[in-house]
Every structure is written in structure tokens, then in C-alpha cells.
Amino acid sequence: MNFKLIRTSLITFVLCFHLLPQFIFAEDNTEDKEDVQKMALYKKTEAITHIPWYYLAAIDQFEKNTQKETASEQLISIKIPDEKWYGIGNSIHNNSIVWISLFSGFGQDGDGDNLADPTNDEDILYSMAHFIEKFGNTKKDVKIALWNYYQRDLNVQTIMNIAKVFHKFDTITLEANDFPIPLQHNYSYKNTWGDARGFGGRRIHEGTDIFANYGVPVKSTTYGVVELKGWNRYGGWRIGIRDIYNRYHYYAHMNGYQEGIEVGDIVEPGDVVGSVGSTGYGPPGTSGKFPPHLHYGMYKDDGYSEWSFDPYPYLRKWENQARNR
């Protein structure tokens, strides 16, 4: 028997067994480490400017969700237009803070090198915080600053909602989702996005219908804030939730709402928001014109416009994840 070979194999096995979890966890935690670095930068900027970190994080998240290209390839996604950063008239794009100041530019020096680099994470975040700081650091002040910067109500509302979620959970790592119907109930669905609809004129079906019995609980699929609640002649009793990825989740034809849920409330995956019904296609209270089901729609906003997209792949993914938990 070759004891030397056996001994070598055992040592190799033990080393692999010991190191494998480290490799696995290192890979799994890559994004978490990035989030930790971002949080450190948000809180450093907060300490300097007194702008709460969750507002800075929300602006960064909003920009990440809307920008085709980000300013930095490292951490921060905020992209400030060159004419705003350098100042109108600074055509050579000199990034000296003295030069930018002469042209009333937006850019500031966040890392102490006397330069305002629009691709430097610390400079970008400090510049945005410095801009907000001129208006103040209260919630109202931040909203005014955001309006002056973005000039669009939905952008301001979305950023403020993302900030609420980050503040409540004290983290930016919020990646969980859930299927909107409890798996123990009988339900069925297929891809119905884009199908023709007749009520109210010719239009397409902007969602997926999940058929279930009256009163089956309807759950939030995401972290977000309740943006809309009430009657719609098409959707009946419906509720809308805006998540931290600039997506609007639309739950319609419900039988009713979870007691106490109101516009402005923060929800997380699995929170019950209402129950399955067959309301809609008429004035308030109209019900029974079709079998009970949940109409689930998703809409994306890019900072300029909003459009419907197919939620079916997401529902399948979330359903499978829920089954494997």
C-alpha cells in the first residue's frame, strides 16, 4: 500500500474541504462588500455635510436605475452633466476647483486633492451633498433641492421613497422578493401580457392574471412604498407600490385591502396588502364581471417616462425561489 500517496491525498482533501467554503462565501459576498464600501462613503459624506446618508444612497440608487452609463466605474452611479459640473463657459473642462469655481460649476473636491473629478466617487458624492446642503438638511429641504436638480415630481417622489426604505431597514442590501400569492393556495397563471382588451376601448393587457379564489391573500413582492390606493374603473380596488429599482408594481381587481395599509407605508416582500377579488370594469363597487383573480403589472421609469413591461418572467422566478426556500 502506498502510504505516502494516501497521506498526500488526505492532506489535499482536508485543505480543499477547509478552503472551499471560503471561496464560496467570498464569491457570494462580492456584492455585499461593495455595498459596505458604498455605505462607508455615504456616511463619510454625511459626517462632512450633515446630509443624511439615506438620501445620498437613494439618489445614487435612482441614478443607477436610470443611467445608461455611469460616471464612475467603481462605486457611485450619479452622473452629473459636464456643462453643469464644469460650469457654462469652462469649455476646456479644467477640473481645478479654482477654475470650476470661476465658472460657477457644480463640481467639488471630495478627497482633498484640489481637483473636482466627475469620475471620482468621493468628488461626485460630495458635490451632490454640497448642492443639497445649500438648501438645508431637513426632509423638506432635500425635496426642494431634488426638485431644483431634477425638475420632475416623480423623480423626487421616487428618491424620497427609496430613502424611506433605506432608512427603515438601515441598509442598501435589499434584494429579496416574494410571489404575490401564498403557494399553499390553489392558483394558476400564464403569460397574458400584451393580450387584447376590450373594456374601455382597444388596449393591451399590461400585466399577468393570477387566478385564485376570493379572499386569498395578496402579498407584496418587493421592498417599497405604497404610492397609490383606491378605486380604478379598469382595475377595481387596486394598490400601487414603487420599489427601490424605479419599478411600479400594480395589484388590481382586489376584494379589499389589508387593514391599516395606507399610502406612504413601507412594505417588504411577503407583507399582505389585500386579497383576491373580481372588482372593476365599472363604477366603485362593481364586482363579478369576471372570475376572481389578481392582475399583477410592472412598470419601469427611466427618469423621463414610464412604460409597462412583461412581469411573467419575474413571477416565475419568484415562484421558484419561494418553492425552494
Side-chain angles (χ1 to χ4, degrees), residues 246-261:
N246 294 30
R247 298 179 307 205
Y248 179 74
H249 302 253
Y250 178 71
Y251 306 75
H253 304 314
M254 294 198 299
N255 194 49
Y257 302 108
Q258 178 71 359
E259 184 177 355
I261 193 164

Side-chain angles (χ1 to χ4, degrees), residues 139-155:
K139 179 180 177 180
K140 183 179 179 181
D141 295 332
V142 174
K143 288 184 71 173
I144 293 171
L146 291 175
W147 166 249
N148 277 271
Y149 185 81
Y150 288 103
Q151 299 282 300
R152 184 173 181 246
D153 286 336
L154 185 55
N155 293 12

